[in-house]
PDB file of all heavy atoms in Angstrom:
ATOM      1  N   HIS A  35     -23.580   3.369  33.882  1.00 48.00           N
ATOM      2  CA  HIS A  35     -24.160   2.175  33.263  1.00 48.00           C
ATOM      3  C   HIS A  35     -24.087   2.196  31.738  1.00 48.00           C
ATOM      4  O   HIS A  35     -23.806   3.207  31.125  1.00 48.00           O
ATOM      5  CB  HIS A  35     -25.614   2.065  33.704  1.00 48.00           C
ATOM      6  CG  HIS A  35     -26.446   3.202  33.176  1.00 48.00           C
ATOM      7  ND1 HIS A  35     -26.388   4.465  33.708  1.00 48.00           N
ATOM      8  CD2 HIS A  35     -27.316   3.267  32.153  1.00 48.00           C
ATOM      9  CE1 HIS A  35     -27.209   5.264  33.025  1.00 48.00           C
ATOM     10  NE2 HIS A  35     -27.776   4.555  32.083  1.00 48.00           N
ATOM     11  N   ARG A  36     -24.428   1.062  31.162  1.00 56.00           N
ATOM     12  CA  ARG A  36     -24.456   0.884  29.712  1.00 56.00           C
ATOM     13  C   ARG A  36     -25.800   1.359  29.155  1.00 56.00           C
ATOM     14  O   ARG A  36     -26.845   0.979  29.639  1.00 56.00           O
ATOM     15  CB  ARG A  36     -24.239  -0.589  29.387  1.00 56.00           C
ATOM     16  CG  ARG A  36     -24.262  -0.911  27.915  1.00 56.00           C
ATOM     17  CD  ARG A  36     -23.987  -2.376  27.692  1.00 56.00           C
ATOM     18  NE  ARG A  36     -22.721  -2.763  28.271  1.00 56.00           N
ATOM     19  CZ  ARG A  36     -21.557  -2.772  27.608  1.00 56.00           C
ATOM     20  NH1 ARG A  36     -21.523  -2.433  26.351  1.00 56.00           N
ATOM     21  NH2 ARG A  36     -20.445  -3.139  28.203  1.00 56.00           N
ATOM     22  N   ASP A  37     -25.761   2.147  28.101  1.00 64.00           N
ATOM     23  CA  ASP A  37     -26.971   2.593  27.413  1.00 64.00           C
ATOM     24  C   ASP A  37     -27.269   1.590  26.308  1.00 64.00           C
ATOM     25  O   ASP A  37     -26.454   1.411  25.400  1.00 64.00           O
ATOM     26  CB  ASP A  37     -26.759   3.984  26.833  1.00 64.00           C
ATOM     27  CG  ASP A  37     -28.002   4.536  26.163  1.00 64.00           C
ATOM     28  OD1 ASP A  37     -28.807   3.756  25.626  1.00 64.00           O
ATOM     29  OD2 ASP A  37     -28.168   5.762  26.163  1.00 64.00           O
ATOM     30  N   PRO A  38     -28.429   0.920  26.337  1.00 65.00           N
ATOM     31  CA  PRO A  38     -28.725  -0.087  25.320  1.00 65.00           C
ATOM     32  C   PRO A  38     -28.865   0.483  23.911  1.00 65.00           C
ATOM     33  O   PRO A  38     -28.825  -0.265  22.938  1.00 65.00           O
ATOM     34  CB  PRO A  38     -30.036  -0.711  25.807  1.00 65.00           C
ATOM     35  CG  PRO A  38     -30.644   0.314  26.693  1.00 65.00           C
ATOM     36  CD  PRO A  38     -29.505   1.081  27.304  1.00 65.00           C
ATOM     37  N   ASP A  39     -29.007   1.803  23.784  1.00 67.00           N
ATOM     38  CA  ASP A  39     -29.141   2.405  22.463  1.00 67.00           C
ATOM     39  C   ASP A  39     -27.810   2.807  21.840  1.00 67.00           C
ATOM     40  O   ASP A  39     -27.764   3.237  20.695  1.00 67.00           O
ATOM     41  CB  ASP A  39     -30.058   3.631  22.531  1.00 67.00           C
ATOM     42  CG  ASP A  39     -31.486   3.243  22.859  1.00 67.00           C
ATOM     43  OD1 ASP A  39     -31.927   2.165  22.405  1.00 67.00           O
ATOM     44  OD2 ASP A  39     -32.151   4.002  23.581  1.00 67.00           O
ATOM     45  N   ALA A  40     -26.713   2.686  22.593  1.00 71.00           N
ATOM     46  CA  ALA A  40     -25.404   2.994  22.026  1.00 71.00           C
ATOM     47  C   ALA A  40     -25.047   1.917  21.005  1.00 71.00           C
ATOM     48  O   ALA A  40     -25.417   0.758  21.149  1.00 71.00           O
ATOM     49  CB  ALA A  40     -24.354   3.068  23.127  1.00 71.00           C
ATOM     50  N   LEU A  41     -24.351   2.298  19.968  1.00 78.00           N
ATOM     51  CA  LEU A  41     -23.993   1.368  18.903  1.00 78.00           C
ATOM     52  C   LEU A  41     -22.788   0.542  19.325  1.00 78.00           C
ATOM     53  O   LEU A  41     -21.715   1.071  19.575  1.00 78.00           O
ATOM     54  CB  LEU A  41     -23.681   2.130  17.617  1.00 78.00           C
ATOM     55  CG  LEU A  41     -23.350   1.285  16.398  1.00 78.00           C
ATOM     56  CD1 LEU A  41     -24.537   0.406  16.000  1.00 78.00           C
ATOM     57  CD2 LEU A  41     -22.953   2.172  15.236  1.00 78.00           C
ATOM     58  N   THR A  42     -22.959  -0.765  19.395  1.00 80.00           N
ATOM     59  CA  THR A  42     -21.862  -1.658  19.753  1.00 80.00           C
ATOM     60  C   THR A  42     -21.084  -2.049  18.501  1.00 80.00           C
ATOM     61  O   THR A  42     -21.563  -1.911  17.373  1.00 80.00           O
ATOM     62  CB  THR A  42     -22.389  -2.930  20.437  1.00 80.00           C
ATOM     63  OG1 THR A  42     -23.197  -3.642  19.495  1.00 80.00           O
ATOM     64  CG2 THR A  42     -23.169  -2.608  21.699  1.00 80.00           C
ATOM     65  N   PHE A  43     -19.896  -2.573  18.703  1.00 85.00           N
ATOM     66  CA  PHE A  43     -19.043  -2.983  17.596  1.00 85.00           C
ATOM     67  C   PHE A  43     -19.720  -4.048  16.738  1.00 85.00           C
ATOM     68  O   PHE A  43     -19.712  -3.975  15.510  1.00 85.00           O
ATOM     69  CB  PHE A  43     -17.703  -3.485  18.138  1.00 85.00           C
ATOM     70  CG  PHE A  43     -16.762  -3.922  17.055  1.00 85.00           C
ATOM     71  CD1 PHE A  43     -16.113  -2.984  16.276  1.00 85.00           C
ATOM     72  CD2 PHE A  43     -16.526  -5.263  16.821  1.00 85.00           C
ATOM     73  CE1 PHE A  43     -15.239  -3.384  15.267  1.00 85.00           C
ATOM     74  CE2 PHE A  43     -15.651  -5.671  15.824  1.00 85.00           C
ATOM     75  CZ  PHE A  43     -15.011  -4.723  15.044  1.00 85.00           C
ATOM     76  N   ASP A  44     -20.333  -5.052  17.372  1.00 87.00           N
ATOM     77  CA  ASP A  44     -20.973  -6.130  16.610  1.00 87.00           C
ATOM     78  C   ASP A  44     -22.126  -5.604  15.759  1.00 87.00           C
ATOM     79  O   ASP A  44     -22.274  -5.996  14.594  1.00 87.00           O
ATOM     80  CB  ASP A  44     -21.468  -7.234  17.541  1.00 87.00           C
ATOM     81  CG  ASP A  44     -20.326  -8.014  18.174  1.00 87.00           C
ATOM     82  OD1 ASP A  44     -19.199  -7.983  17.632  1.00 87.00           O
ATOM     83  OD2 ASP A  44     -20.559  -8.652  19.210  1.00 87.00           O
ATOM     84  N   ALA A  45     -22.936  -4.721  16.311  1.00 88.00           N
ATOM     85  CA  ALA A  45     -24.050  -4.148  15.549  1.00 88.00           C
ATOM     86  C   ALA A  45     -23.519  -3.293  14.391  1.00 88.00           C
ATOM     87  O   ALA A  45     -24.063  -3.323  13.279  1.00 88.00           O
ATOM     88  CB  ALA A  45     -24.944  -3.322  16.458  1.00 88.00           C
ATOM     89  N   PHE A  46     -22.464  -2.546  14.647  1.00 91.00           N
ATOM     90  CA  PHE A  46     -21.859  -1.736  13.592  1.00 91.00           C
ATOM     91  C   PHE A  46     -21.331  -2.634  12.469  1.00 91.00           C
ATOM     92  O   PHE A  46     -21.593  -2.400  11.291  1.00 91.00           O
ATOM     93  CB  PHE A  46     -20.726  -0.880  14.168  1.00 91.00           C
ATOM     94  CG  PHE A  46     -19.986  -0.093  13.138  1.00 91.00           C
ATOM     95  CD1 PHE A  46     -20.521   1.058  12.594  1.00 91.00           C
ATOM     96  CD2 PHE A  46     -18.734  -0.517  12.690  1.00 91.00           C
ATOM     97  CE1 PHE A  46     -19.842   1.782  11.627  1.00 91.00           C
ATOM     98  CE2 PHE A  46     -18.039   0.195  11.728  1.00 91.00           C
ATOM     99  CZ  PHE A  46     -18.592   1.351  11.194  1.00 91.00           C
ATOM    100  N   MET A  47     -20.592  -3.687  12.828  1.00 94.00           N
ATOM    101  CA  MET A  47     -20.010  -4.574  11.819  1.00 94.00           C
ATOM    102  C   MET A  47     -21.077  -5.283  10.990  1.00 94.00           C
ATOM    103  O   MET A  47     -20.836  -5.614   9.823  1.00 94.00           O
ATOM    104  CB  MET A  47     -19.084  -5.595  12.482  1.00 94.00           C
ATOM    105  CG  MET A  47     -17.746  -5.017  12.933  1.00 94.00           C
ATOM    106  SD  MET A  47     -16.775  -4.228  11.620  1.00 94.00           S
ATOM    107  CE  MET A  47     -16.366  -5.620  10.577  1.00 94.00           C
ATOM    108  N   ALA A  48     -22.262  -5.478  11.528  1.00 94.00           N
ATOM    109  CA  ALA A  48     -23.353  -6.109  10.776  1.00 94.00           C
ATOM    110  C   ALA A  48     -23.790  -5.233   9.601  1.00 94.00           C
ATOM    111  O   ALA A  48     -24.399  -5.723   8.652  1.00 94.00           O
ATOM    112  CB  ALA A  48     -24.525  -6.396  11.705  1.00 94.00           C
TER     113      ALA A  48
END
Side-chain angles (χ1 to χ4, degrees):
H35 65 284
R36 179 178 303 267
D37 183 329
D39 293 325
L41 183 63
T42 64
F43 180 75
D44 290 340
F46 176 77
M47 285 303 293

